[in-house]
C-alpha cells in the first residue's frame, strides 16, 4: 500500500467546495477522470456505509465498500475502506480484501480568506499508484472548474 | 532447449521491496512481452499469495488499465508451479503445488519440450542461482533509492559474473538490464 497526497486551492468558499465535491450530480463529473461512470451509492453521514462504483472492463460494477468514519461538516471527511465490490457483489470478508483493513481516504477543507485549500490523503495498492498520481490532479482541476464557474 | 529466466524489479540500492517501484503501463507491457516466450512460472508461497490476491480479479476492477489487463490475462492463464511446505491447495487458474523438490521439477521441465521457464520469485531464484541454473536475467532498475526492503540475491554464496546482452530504458527512467549466465 502506498500513501498519496494531493492538494488544490479553489477560489470558492469551503461550503461550495464541499457540496460540489460530494453531491451526486457534480461528484459524477469530477470523478470522470478516474473512470467514466464513477458514482457512489450511500450517504456521507458519519457511520454510514457508502459504495464507490464504476464499470469494470467486463462491464459489471466494481469498486470499494467503505464507511464514513468521520464527517465534520465543511471541514473534514474520513472514508474507511472495508472491502471491494466485484461483479456488483460486496466483499468485506475474504483474505483478499484484508489489505484494505484500516486504510483511510481523507478530504480536508481549509478556508483561507475566500479560498479553500482541499487536501486529499489516500492509500492505494502499488499497481495503481502511478495511475492515481496522474488522475487525481486532473480530477481536482475539474472539481476546481466546477466550483469556480 | 528450455531456458530458465529470471526477471525482477529492484531499486538503485538493490531493494526488492515489492511496494517500491514505478508500475506504469510501459512496465506492465514489458513484463507481458517477456512472458511471451515463457510457458511455466515457478514461485514460492509469498509470491503466490501476493499475486493471487490481485491478478485473478483485475478485470473486475474499474481502475485496471489495458496494460494491467493484458498482464493479468497472461499471468492468469500461464502455468504456475508453487513450491510451499505449508499451502494445502492452490486455487488460482492453471496453478498447481509442486509435488517434488525444485531440482527434480527443473530436471523434468527441461527434459520436456516447451517455451522457457520463469523463476518467478525471490526464493526460487536464489536457489536456482546457487545451483547456477538461471540462464538469463532481466533486472529492472527503478530510479529510486529505497529506505528498506530485502536485498536482491541476499544469500548468494559466491561472486557471480554475468554477461550484459542489452539494456532498455523506459520513459519512467526504469532501466532493464538483460544478462546472460557465463
Amino acid at each position: 500500500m502506498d500513501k498519496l497526497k494531493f492538494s488544490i486551492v479553489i477560489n470558492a468558499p469551503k461550503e461550495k467546495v464541499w457540496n460540489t465535491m460530494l453531491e451526486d450530480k457534480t461528484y459524477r463529473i469530477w470523478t470522470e477522470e478516474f473512470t467514466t461512470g464513477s458514482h457512489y451509492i450511500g450517504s456521507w453521514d458519519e457511520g454510514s456505509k457508502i459504495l464507490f462504483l464504476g464499470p469494470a472492463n467486463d462491464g459489471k460494477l466494481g469498486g470499494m465498500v467503505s464507511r464514513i468514519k468521520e464527517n465534520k461538516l465543511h471541514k473534514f471527511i474520513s472514508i474507511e475502506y472495508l472491502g471491494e465490490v466485484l461483479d456488483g457483489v460486496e466483499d468485506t470478508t475474504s483474505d483478499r480484501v484484508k489489505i484494505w483493513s484500516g486504510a483511510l481516504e481523507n478530504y480536508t477543507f481549509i478556508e483561507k480568506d475566500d479560498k479553500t485549500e482541499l487536501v486529499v490523503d489516500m492509500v492505494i495498492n502499488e499497481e495503481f499508484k502511478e495511475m492515481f498520481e496522474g488522475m487525481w490532479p486532473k480530477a481536482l482541476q475539474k472539481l476546481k472548474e466546477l466550483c469556480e464557474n | 532447449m528450455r531456458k530458465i529466466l529470471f526477471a525482477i524489479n529492484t531499486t538503485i540500492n538493490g531493494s526488492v521491496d515489492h511496494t517500491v517501484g514505478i508500475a506504469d503501463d510501459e512496465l506492465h507491457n514489458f513484463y507481458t512481452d517477456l512472458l511471451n516466450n515463457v510457458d511455466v512460472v515457478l514461485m514460492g508461497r509469498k509470491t503466490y499469495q501476493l499475486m493471487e490476491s490481485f491478478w485473478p480479479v483485475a478485470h473486475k476492477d474499474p481502475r485496471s488499465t489495458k496494460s494491467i489487463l493484458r498482464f493479468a490475462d497472461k499471468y492468469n492463464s500461464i502455468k504456475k508451479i508453487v513450491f510451499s511446505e505449508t499451502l494445502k491447495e492452490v486455487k488460482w487458474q492453471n496453478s498447481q503445488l509442486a509435488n517434488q523438490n525444485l531440482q527434480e521439477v527443473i530436471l523434468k521441465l527441461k527434459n520436456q519440450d516447451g517455451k522457457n521457464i520463469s523463476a518467478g520469485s525471490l526464493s526460487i531464484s536464489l536457489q536456482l542461482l546457487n545451483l547456477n541454473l538461471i540462464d538469463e536475467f532481466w533486472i529492472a532498475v527503478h530510479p529510486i533509492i529505497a529506505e528498506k526492503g530485502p536485498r536482491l540475491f541476499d544469500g548468494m554464496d559466491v561472486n557471480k559474473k554475468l554477461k550484459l546482452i542489452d539494456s532498455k530504458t523506459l520513459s519512467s527512467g526504469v532501466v532493464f538490464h538483460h544478462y546472460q549466465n557465463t
Side-chain angles (χ1 to χ4, degrees):
Chain A
M1 276 309 160
D2 288 301
K3 284 189 178 160
L4 300 181
K5 190 180 187 118
F6 306 97
S7 70
I8 194 164
V9 175
I10 300 175
N11 296 321
K14 60 186 197 301
E15 293 79 7
K16 177 91 195 272
V17 179
W18 175 280
N19 291 335
T20 310
M21 190 177 194
L22 307 181
E23 276 172 8
D24 178 63
K25 192 171 157 199
T26 39
Y27 181 90
R28 286 171 188 261
I29 299 174
W30 71 265
T31 57
E32 259 183 10
E33 283 302 324
F34 299 109
T35 309
T36 305
S38 292
H39 62 282
Y40 65 83
I41 295 178
S43 139
W44 297 98
D45 293 342
E46 199 166 292
S48 283
K49 184 164 103 170
I50 185 166
L51 307 178
F52 296 102
L53 303 170
N57 187 60
D58 60 3
K60 304 203 182 124
L61 281 181
M64 303 295 293
V65 185
S66 313
R67 188 179 71 89
I68 304 298
K69 188 170 183 190
E70 245 186 285
N71 175 333
K72 292 197 179 109
L73 187 63
H74 305 141
K75 288 186 186 167
F76 182 69
I77 281 266
S78 182
I79 303 161
E80 183 185 358
Y81 298 139
L82 300 174
E84 298 179 2
V85 177
L86 297 172
D87 285 347
V89 176
E90 293 172 39
D91 172 14
T92 50
T93 53
S94 73
D95 279 341
R96 270 202 56 247
V97 300
K98 295 210 163 102
I99 52 163
W100 295 110
S101 173
L104 301 175
E105 181 167 326
N106 298 327
Y107 306 149
T108 311
F109 302 77
I110 305 161
E111 193 153 51
K112 291 175 177 175
D113 304 317
D114 294 326
K115 301 183 198 191
T116 303
E117 185 187 3
L118 170 63
V119 180
V120 173
D121 293 289
M122 50 121 37
V123 290
I124 193 68
N125 35 8
E126 54 264 20
E127 295 303 332
F128 298 127
K129 189 180 82 162
E130 308 311 319
M131 224 170 80
F132 273 66
E133 277 178 343
M135 286 171 169
W136 263 107
K138 290 183 188 165
L140 291 181
Q141 182 59 34
K142 199 141 193 198
L143 176 61
K144 178 180 161 87
E145 285 160 24
L146 284 171
C147 291
E148 291 177 359
N149 298 323
Chain B
M1 171 74 157
R2 284 176 115 171
K3 287 195 237 175
I4 299 180
L5 318 176
F6 176 58
I8 189 82
N9 291 310
T10 185
T11 65
I12 291 167
N13 55 339
S15 166
V16 289
D17 177 346
H18 69 87
T19 66
V20 172
I22 306 169
D24 64 3
D25 285 350
E26 212 181 343
L27 191 81
H28 285 118
N29 287 339
F30 197 94
Y31 276 107
T32 307
D33 292 342
L34 274 185
L35 287 176
N36 279 337
N37 293 319
V38 170
D39 60 13
V40 61
V41 180
L42 311 178
M43 61 179 77
R45 174 190 59 83
K46 285 185 189 168
T47 299
Y48 172 80
Q49 289 177 326
L50 191 68
M51 304 288 244
E52 197 252 351
S53 71
F54 183 86
W55 295 107
V57 293
H59 274 276
K60 298 180 193 288
D61 195 320
R63 297 165 296 197
S64 292
T65 59
K66 283 203 173 69
S67 68
I68 284 176
L69 295 177
R70 267 187 77 225
F71 184 82
D73 288 342
K74 174 69 68 173
Y75 216 73
N76 285 332
S77 60
I78 208 165
K79 182 172 176 181
K80 296 169 275 288
I81 303 178
V82 185
F83 292 83
S84 171
E85 306 206 336
T86 51
L87 285 179
K88 295 284 181 283
E89 60 169 350
V90 287
K91 292 183 179 163
W92 195 358
Q93 177 191 350
N94 206 5
S95 60
Q96 61 190 89
L97 282 169
N99 49 15
Q100 295 170 295
N101 70 32
L102 183 60
Q103 270 186 281
E104 287 165 344
V105 170
I106 293 282
L107 197 60
K108 189 171 166 186
L109 287 174
K110 283 196 129 181
N111 282 334
Q112 291 166 351
D113 283 331
K115 291 187 187 177
N116 295 325
I117 302 158
S118 166
S121 76
L122 293 175
S123 58
I124 300 294
S125 66
L126 187 61
Q127 288 177 72
L128 292 178
L129 193 59
N130 282 329
L131 292 169
N132 202 26
L133 288 177
I134 302 182
D135 298 298
E136 287 183 35
F137 303 74
W138 270 270
I139 311 293
V141 182
H142 290 238
I144 297 171
I145 301 173
E147 58 162 332
K148 60 176 175 65
R151 288 295 178 269
L152 180 60
F153 298 136
D154 202 13
M156 253 300 264
D157 50 20
V158 287
N159 286 328
K160 175 131 194 83
K161 189 169 177 215
L162 304 176
K163 182 181 174 187
L164 180 70
I165 304 296
D166 51 36
S167 292
K168 183 175 164 75
T169 306
L170 305 188
S171 55
S172 58
V174 171
V175 184
F176 270 95
H177 296 298
H178 176 202
Y179 300 98
Q180 205 169 63
N181 199 350
T182 53

